[in-house]
Amino acid sequence: MSTGVKLSDECIPACEALKLKKVGRYVAFKLSDAKDKIEVEEVGDRSVTYADFHAKLPKDSCRYYLFDFEWKDGDRDCAKLIFLNWTPDTSPVKAKMMAAGSKDAL
């Protein structure tokens, strides 16, 4: 399902900076007020932990996140980029439908 929502110009550079240059711990994306594009809301500081990130998730609005998750596996340092489509149960139904239909743009 496509909603016709486009990416704003800053989305791709923000994703590439997180992936390649390790700028920040996560990138938060949201639908614009006009609901016609996805824009960068915030780039989280590199010192943010997953627990800090989880505590900042909005209780009633939809967001998309790209999170750089790092952990240790024995002696080895591991990292994965995680895409999170955040749609809490308390969000309005229309917002959930827009978020689900627009995530393919990212």
Side-chain angles (χ1 to χ4, degrees), residues 86-103:
W86 179 252
T87 54
D89 289 340
T90 55
S91 295
V93 173
K94 186 174 181 179
K96 290 183 199 180
M97 291 174 57
M98 282 294 290
S102 302
K103 75 174 170 128

Side-chain angles (χ1 to χ4, degrees), residues 4-85:
V5 172
K6 306 287 184 203
L7 288 179
S8 64
D9 293 337
E10 73 262 11
C11 289
I12 299 298
C15 289
E16 289 177 352
L18 180 67
K19 180 179 177 182
L20 302 174
K21 299 177 186 173
K22 301 289 187 183
V23 175
R25 176 66 62 198
Y26 66 89
V27 180
F29 303 95
K30 69 173 190 166
L31 282 170
S32 66
D33 293 336
K35 307 282 190 258
D36 62 343
K37 64 183 173 180
I38 296 173
E39 55 192 18
V40 174
E41 179 182 33
E42 171 186 19
V43 176
D45 188 53
R46 196 78 190 151
S47 64
V48 173
T49 64
Y50 185 77
D52 299 334
F53 167 74
H54 189 264
K56 289 181 71 172
L57 293 174
K59 304 286 185 249
D60 59 353
S61 57
C62 301
R63 295 286 188 275
Y64 307 104
Y65 294 96
L66 189 60
F67 187 87
D68 187 10
F69 186 71
E70 296 176 337
W71 73 96
K72 282 202 170 283
D73 183 19
D75 299 349
R76 206 170 51 138
D77 291 333
C78 302
K80 286 282 185 188
L81 283 179
I82 300 169
F83 178 75
L84 177 67
N85 182 7

